[in-house]
């Protein structure tokens, strides 16, 4: 059984009701659901939520909501792995056997069906625990600076001050879109950012965190530009 789990709790603070706020004509979560459906990868696509309105929107766009997420897994401090583990265990208790599970974020409008399929193929071919979306940093992280309490600056790695950018190792970060994983990895709480995981590389222009109103505005601009380019 292949299962997509879209975590979407109702208590977003920086952008209220973020998971179902209209984004380029649809509730935000709809884009993730539609990509999951279009991928053809899943036997079941579910929304894990504690919020009845989010549940109703998820159902409207084709996802299932077989349970409501318990309160102890719905606060600001709950991580992704416990939420996915809870969903897997619910299916096991119901007599099903999920084997490959994709955590697909509700705020990932740039995810595509092809990306999801690539993630599944990567997981299957690698024998690893997880396969998840990553992208490269736009600027060498070795040249990063911090602001001091005195309002001045200092380098995090001053030994690289005179190193040419092209001579520095390229660095990557989590794209925050999807995480394919094997059931045993999720259930055992294995670390995602570890050697047992494989990257699914995405171009930077299709990656945008959406945590603040400024992020939201930039994401809509970028999304509309991509839609216009693709016709």
């Amino acid at each position: 059984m292949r299962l997509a789990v879209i975590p979407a709790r109702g208590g977003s603070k920086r952008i209220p009701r973020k998971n179902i706020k209209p984004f380029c004509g649809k509730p935000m979560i709809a884009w993730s659901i539609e990509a999951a459906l279009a991928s053809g990868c899943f036997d079941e696509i579910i929304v894990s939520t504690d919020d009845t309105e989010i549940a109703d929107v998820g159902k409207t766009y084709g996802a299932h909501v077989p349970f409501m997420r318990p309160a102890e897994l719905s606060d600001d401090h709950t991580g992704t792995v416990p939420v996915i583990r809870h969903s897997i265990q619910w299916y096991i208790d119901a007599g099903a056997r999920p084997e490959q599970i994709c955590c697909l974020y509700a705020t990932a409008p740039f995810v595509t069906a092809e990306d999801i399929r690539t993630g599944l193929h990567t997981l299957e071919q690698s024998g690893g625990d997880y396969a998840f979306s990553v992208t490269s940093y736009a600027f060498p992280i070795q040249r990063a600076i911090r602001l001091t309490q005195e309002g001045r600056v200092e380098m995090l790695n001053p030994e690289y001050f005179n190193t040419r950018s092209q001579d520095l190792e390229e660095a990557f970060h989590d794209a925050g879109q999807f995480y394919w994983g094997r059931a045993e990895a999720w259930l055992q709480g294995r670390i995602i950012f570890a050697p047992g995981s494989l990257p699914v590389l995405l171009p930077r222009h299709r990656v945008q965190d959406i945590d603040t109103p400024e992020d939201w505005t930039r994401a809509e601009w970028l999304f509309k530009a991509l839609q216009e380019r693709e016709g």
Side-chain angles (χ1 to χ4, degrees):
M1 181 183 183
R2 292 180 185 144
L3 177 66
V5 181
I6 303 176
R9 68 183 185 88
S12 176
K13 291 184 174 64
R14 286 181 289 184
I15 303 177
R17 311 301 290 162
K18 176 172 72 170
N19 291 317
I20 54 173
K21 181 178 176 179
F23 180 92
C24 293
K26 297 178 184 177
M28 173 64 84
I29 196 173
W31 297 104
S32 295
I33 295 171
E34 290 181 350
L37 289 167
S39 74
C41 291
F42 301 107
D43 299 298
E44 189 104 352
I45 299 167
I46 70 168
V47 175
S48 172
T49 186
D50 61 328
D51 186 281
T52 55
E53 186 181 11
I54 293 175
D56 289 342
V57 172
K59 293 173 186 176
T60 297
Y61 283 90
H64 298 282
V65 186
F67 55 81
M68 296 301 290
R69 194 196 304 179
E72 62 268 23
L73 291 177
S74 301
D75 61 28
D76 290 343
H77 304 290
T78 301
T80 295
V81 174
V83 172
I84 305 305
R85 184 166 56 223
H86 170 265
S87 299
I88 297 170
Q89 191 61 56
W90 188 92
Y91 274 88
I92 291 174
D93 293 344
R97 294 179 59 87
E99 295 180 358
Q100 296 160 321
I101 298 89
C102 181
C103 169
L104 176 59
Y105 280 162
T107 52
F110 296 97
V111 71
T112 69
E114 182 60 31
D115 294 336
I116 295 170
R117 287 192 290 267
T118 299
L120 174 61
H121 178 76
T122 301
L123 182 71
E124 290 180 331
Q125 295 300 309
S126 69
D129 291 332
Y130 302 100
F132 67 98
S133 57
V134 305
T135 196
S136 60
Y137 280 97
F139 191 83
I141 62 172
Q142 299 88 342
R143 303 292 298 277
I145 60 174
R146 65 161 60 92
L147 306 184
T148 70
Q149 291 183 347
E150 295 77 24
R152 299 179 183 274
V153 300
E154 62 184 20
M155 289 190 69
L156 293 177
N157 300 104
E159 65 271 25
Y160 294 114
F161 178 75
N162 290 315
T163 305
R164 299 185 308 168
S165 296
Q166 60 265 39
D167 295 331
L168 294 170
E169 180 182 359
E170 189 172 20
F172 300 83
H173 63 87
D174 174 17
Q177 294 189 3
F178 62 86
Y179 311 82
W180 275 101
R182 301 183 189 278
E184 61 270 22
W186 289 114
L187 290 171
Q188 294 173 16
R190 295 178 193 166
I191 297 173
I192 296 176
F193 299 165
S197 299
L198 281 298
V200 180
L201 294 175
L202 304 183
R204 288 197 297 266
H205 70 267
R206 285 204 294 108
V207 176
Q208 172 65 46
D209 280 342
I210 306 177
D211 293 322
T212 67
E214 181 182 5
D215 292 340
W216 187 283
T217 298
R218 186 177 188 278
E220 285 196 307
W221 288 344
L222 182 56
F223 191 86
K224 290 173 183 176
L226 289 171
Q227 286 188 316
E228 290 175 3
R229 189 185 71 173
E230 295 169 1

